[in-house]
Amino acid sequence: MMATQQLFRWFPILATLNGYDRDTLIRDLLAAAIVTVLLIPQSLAYALLAGLPAEVGLYASMVPLIVYGVFGTSNTLSVGPVAVVSLMSAAALGEVTASGTVGYLSAAAALALLSGVILAVLGALRLGMLANFLSHPVISGFITASALLIALSQFRHLLGVPANGDTAPELMASLWENINAVNNLALITGLGVVLFLYWARAYAAKLLKALGLSSSTADLLSKAAPVLGVLATIALSFWMDFETQQVALVGLIPAGLPSLTMPIISLPLLEALLVPALMIAIIGYVESVSVAKTLAAKRRQRIDTNQELVALGMANVGAGFSGGFPVSGGFSRSVVNDAAGAQTQFASIFTAVGIALAALFLTPFLYYLPKTTLAATIIVAVLSLVDFSILRKTWRFAKADFIAVTLTIAVTLLFGVEHGVACGVGTSLLLFIYRASNPHIAEVGLVEGTEHFRNIHRHKVKTIPEILTFRVDGRLIFSNIGVLEERIYTGLATNSQVKHVILMCSAVNEIDWSALEVLESINANLLDRDIQLHMSEVKGPVMDSLEKSSFLQKLSGGVFLSQYQAFSAVRIS
């Protein structure tokens, strides 16, 4: 029984086989067919965004989907190339391959493999909680800035001009230098697709409902608008012979399936890719698990975050072995997968089969696909990720978060995604350290007529000059005990009548050794001044720790069950 549970934990798809019937199969097949249609243009577009040949996007949408289907705990998450991870991959690969010592395709596969190994190891060690150390506002700021960079990078295809750069200033300067070389046909085609996609988002579902389709079917078909844009521009490109008019086309895409090979990773390549792989792994995981949790909540299902690390890691390992590049859970296609009625992880496996069939038989039809169409598709997709409201929200709620978000956005735009990720991780850690080092400490007094104690600056309370009481809202550890010490001595400096200091510990969950040593020092110092130190409402685990030391024997005052008992006892004395 135990072995079976372990098997089901590592391979969740086995659990879905119980009760897997014909109706579930039909629903999974239908969802897979719809997602396949959506995923083909997305895969091509994001491969080009990563600086890779279009077919690599198809390769990255086969094996990873199958592998995630086997290991993943989400029934609806669809894994494959995504915008932000593709941009991060392009930045990393551009630096690594600049010297010419390693090929771009080989480096891309190696990057996917390294990202996958990092994620799988973290999952095996049950370290899914590490993602919680990344501030969500900071991640939102990074994604917003990355989306703007992606949109800027695609303007060269939209305008039909050569341009390059990894930062917003570089991209804008490069576009401006080539503004006189704009290809009007590429621009009109791309803008037409942009306008159509925005129109489809706003009105397609309403139109389809007016034609008699059900609400769910209309919403689902409206999300397939990018496919219609691709088909229409392929036909237009063939009819008007875009190739002779200098409109860049996707061109020849080799038909066939990826070959399974081990990426060649040398020590210099490993050193160069390790940090980018770690960053891509973290951002990809956070984005993926956020989507998975959101969709699971709708269905009242549970996501195992540690197993998701393993699943996404193995999916990236699969991408590395099949000539792909780093992948993650995609929001748009996962939403479509959910709306299309996917019931189990088999929908992902069926989608991979659909992509494989497309790679075998449909690639000749993609020859005439204009790159401006894919650029328009990317621009519309990523601009939906831009969320400047986070600046207003954090400004109102927490100035520290506002500074962190603003800094992350600015660094990403001005210095590129790698610096942006480093800034995001750094500011998240600094925020964590700042908050851990600055717990809320309130001087409290008695609310008359009750046994409750509240902040003297927020409530009308009763205080006694001889009693000084502080409530600490957080752990007492090495990084913040000095703040409490300073508050106590400041309070004593402004009130010479104090005879008792009470620490209200109702919100203290931990006292570490460094904090204990400082408390012993405070106790001794107060005793020299003929002032007693007391503690109230000490939690069980904290009391257990204190009893293992000699602190309670040295404590000049007492330990009380409630703050009211402590206040009453020392007031009488």
Side-chain angles (χ1 to χ4, degrees):
M1 184 64 178
M2 199 69 175
T4 302
Q5 289 179 344
Q6 283 291 97
L7 196 63
F8 281 7
R9 183 173 73 82
W10 286 105
F11 302 97
I13 197 170
L14 296 177
T16 66
L17 292 173
N18 293 327
Y20 194 82
D21 54 22
R22 183 173 178 273
D23 181 61
T24 305
L25 172 63
I26 292 173
R27 291 189 181 189
D28 282 345
L29 284 171
L30 177 61
I34 294 170
V35 175
T36 297
V37 172
L38 177 68
L39 195 53
I40 291 172
Q42 273 194 2
S43 300
L44 299 173
Y46 292 142
L48 295 177
L49 175 60
L52 294 158
E55 66 270 15
V56 178
L58 297 177
Y59 299 163
S61 301
M62 296 182 206
V63 175
L65 272 169
I66 295 172
V67 174
Y68 180 82
V70 172
F71 290 96
T73 61
S74 171
N75 291 336
T76 51
L77 186 70
S78 182
V79 168
V82 297
V84 174
V85 170
S86 297
L87 179 65
M88 293 175 68
S89 299
L93 296 172
E95 285 192 16
V96 170
T97 58
S99 63
T101 56
V102 62
Y104 206 95
L105 289 173
S106 299
L111 183 62
L113 179 60
L114 282 176
S115 298
V117 170
I118 290 169
L119 287 166
V121 169
L122 291 176
L125 296 175
R126 317 298 287 171
L127 293 177
M129 50 62 174
L130 287 178
N132 297 331
F133 285 93
L134 279 177
S135 159
H136 281 274
V138 166
I139 290 295
S140 179
F142 171 73
I143 289 175
T144 290
S146 297
L148 291 173
L149 279 180
I150 291 169
L152 276 173
S153 72
Q154 294 307 296
F155 267 82
R156 68 179 187 270
H157 296 305
L158 200 69
L159 300 173
V161 299
N164 53 65
D166 297 321
T167 68
E170 290 173 355
L171 285 166
M172 288 189 289
S174 184
L175 288 169
W176 180 253
E177 287 174 4
N178 295 283
I179 197 68
N180 293 326
V182 170
N183 185 306
N184 291 326
L185 185 56
L187 178 59
I188 292 170
T189 303
L191 287 179
V193 175
V194 169
L195 292 174
F196 168 71
L197 292 178
Y198 274 115
W199 174 87
R201 281 190 178 185
Y203 302 108
K206 295 177 183 177
L207 178 61
L208 292 170
K209 290 174 190 175
L211 294 175
L213 295 179
S214 67
S215 178
S216 59
T217 303
D219 289 338
L220 194 59
L221 289 177
S222 68
K223 289 182 173 65
V227 179
L228 187 57
V230 165
L231 295 176
T233 53
I234 286 176
L236 188 65
S237 171
F238 179 78
W239 177 56
M240 295 185 63
D241 197 7
F242 276 15
E243 191 169 17
T244 61
Q245 301 185 60
Q246 306 303 311
V247 176
L249 305 179
V250 169
L252 182 65
I253 298 178
L257 302 178
S259 57
L260 298 179
T261 56
M262 171 70 181
I264 300 173
I265 302 179
S266 62
L267 185 58
L269 182 61
L270 176 63
E271 292 174 347
L273 289 179
L274 191 57
V275 173
L278 177 62
M279 298 299 184
I280 288 171
I282 292 171
I283 298 298
Y285 172 68
V286 171
E287 185 177 0
S288 180
V289 82
S290 297
V291 175
K293 283 183 175 180
T294 300
L295 296 177
K298 284 177 55 182
R299 299 189 176 199
R300 298 185 179 181
Q301 295 172 342
R302 178 180 171 273
I303 296 298
D304 183 339
T305 54
N306 289 308
Q307 183 60 25
E308 285 300 297
L309 272 172
V310 173
L312 189 60
M314 296 306 294
N316 275 282
V317 169
F321 277 100
S322 57
F325 61 106
V327 297
S328 181
F331 179 75
S332 59
R333 60 176 170 268
S334 296
V335 169
V336 170
N337 196 33
D338 176 71
Q343 298 298 300
T344 72
Q345 298 96 324
F346 279 105
S348 287
I349 296 174
F350 297 148
T351 300
V353 174
I355 297 291
L357 292 174
L360 285 170
F361 303 111
L362 297 183
T363 53
F365 299 100
L366 297 172
Y367 180 93
Y368 289 97
L369 175 60
K371 288 186 177 180
T372 187
T373 298
L374 295 178
T377 304
I378 292 175
I379 289 170
V380 173
V382 299
L383 287 183
S384 65
L385 301 175
V386 175
D387 179 21
F388 283 117
S389 68
I390 192 68
L391 295 172
R392 172 176 49 81
K393 293 172 184 175
T394 52
W395 174 259
R396 291 180 177 177
F397 188 78
K399 297 297 189 292
D401 280 326
F402 171 79
I403 293 172
V405 171
T406 304
L407 185 62
T408 301
I409 291 175
V411 169
T412 304
L413 290 175
L414 295 176
F415 301 102
V417 290
E418 288 192 340
H419 291 90
V421 172
C423 178
V425 172
T427 51
S428 292
L429 292 175
L430 285 175
L431 278 175
F432 175 77
I433 293 169
Y434 172 77
R435 285 165 178 157
S437 303
N438 292 274
H440 181 256
I441 299 174
E443 184 178 348
V444 297
L446 177 65
V447 179
E448 290 198 81
T450 73
E451 296 185 0
H452 300 293
F453 287 77
R454 293 293 184 267
N455 193 324
I456 64 172
H457 300 298
R458 293 178 178 271
H459 300 270
K460 187 177 181 179
V461 295
K462 178 182 179 181
T463 59
I464 296 176
E466 291 82 6
I467 303 174
L468 186 62
T469 296
F470 291 104
R471 186 191 69 229
V472 183
D473 297 332
R475 299 182 301 163
L476 283 176
I477 55 176
F478 67 94
S479 62
N480 63 32
I481 187 61
V483 179
L484 174 62
E485 184 179 27
E486 182 66 24
R487 286 293 301 275
I488 291 174
Y489 290 139
T490 300
L492 294 177
T494 56
N495 183 1
S496 59
Q497 301 180 58
V498 175
K499 296 297 180 184
H500 300 276
V501 174
I502 305 174
L503 295 184
M504 184 177 174
C505 301
S506 54
V508 177
N509 298 313
E510 178 189 359
I511 296 178
D512 72 1
W513 182 258
S514 297
L516 180 65
E517 288 185 325
V518 174
L519 287 176
E520 289 177 340
S521 173
I522 292 172
N523 180 62
N525 197 310
L526 293 180
L527 192 58
D528 290 341
R529 302 185 190 191
D530 199 23
I531 299 173
Q532 289 188 313
L533 177 64
H534 309 270
M535 301 179 77
S536 72
E537 302 188 16
V538 182
K539 292 186 175 181
V542 176
M543 182 62 77
D544 291 341
S545 297
L546 293 178
E547 287 175 345
K548 295 175 183 178
S549 70
S550 60
F551 174 74
L552 295 177
Q553 287 75 39
K554 297 176 182 178
L555 186 64
S556 57
V559 179
F560 297 87
L561 185 63
S562 72
Q563 175 63 23
Y564 185 75
Q565 287 181 1
F567 184 79
S568 301
V570 300
R571 180 173 56 178
I572 294 172
S573 65

